[in-house]
Amino acid sequence: HVPDNVNFFIQFGSEAVAEYAKKKGWVELFARAGVKLIDPGCGACIGCGPGVSATPDQVTVSAINRNFQGRSGPGRLYLASPLTVAASAFVGRIVQYHEDLF
């Protein structure tokens, strides 16, 4: 489960991907784990909406490819693979994903 002091967002890349995740039962699984799901859209790419830091002391670990200065808010931004982002969200600190982590 995602720790209380961590926000873990997954944004679907398309409506088709969202529908596929629903059919596979992943949406329910993510919800039980404390993951916040975001419908497809441009919010993350244009630096607004969920997942953008609000203060300089916040840390964001992201798999997004939009890493322009300040694009993800005023906080510190680390780019990582999707697996490392997920592992870090569940552990509550930046960690490298490996199979025996969980």
Side-chain angles (χ1 to χ4, degrees), residues 30-78:
F30 290 145
R32 284 195 322 261
V35 176
K36 298 170 185 166
L37 300 174
I38 305 171
D39 289 329
C42 295
C45 294
I46 62 171
C48 65
V52 176
S53 63
T55 63
D57 62 319
Q58 288 179 307
V59 174
T60 301
V61 182
S62 178
I64 194 168
N65 63 354
R66 301 290 190 186
N67 59 343
F68 309 109
Q69 182 68 34
R71 177 66 75 132
S72 292
R76 291 173 287 165
L77 172 65
Y78 297 89

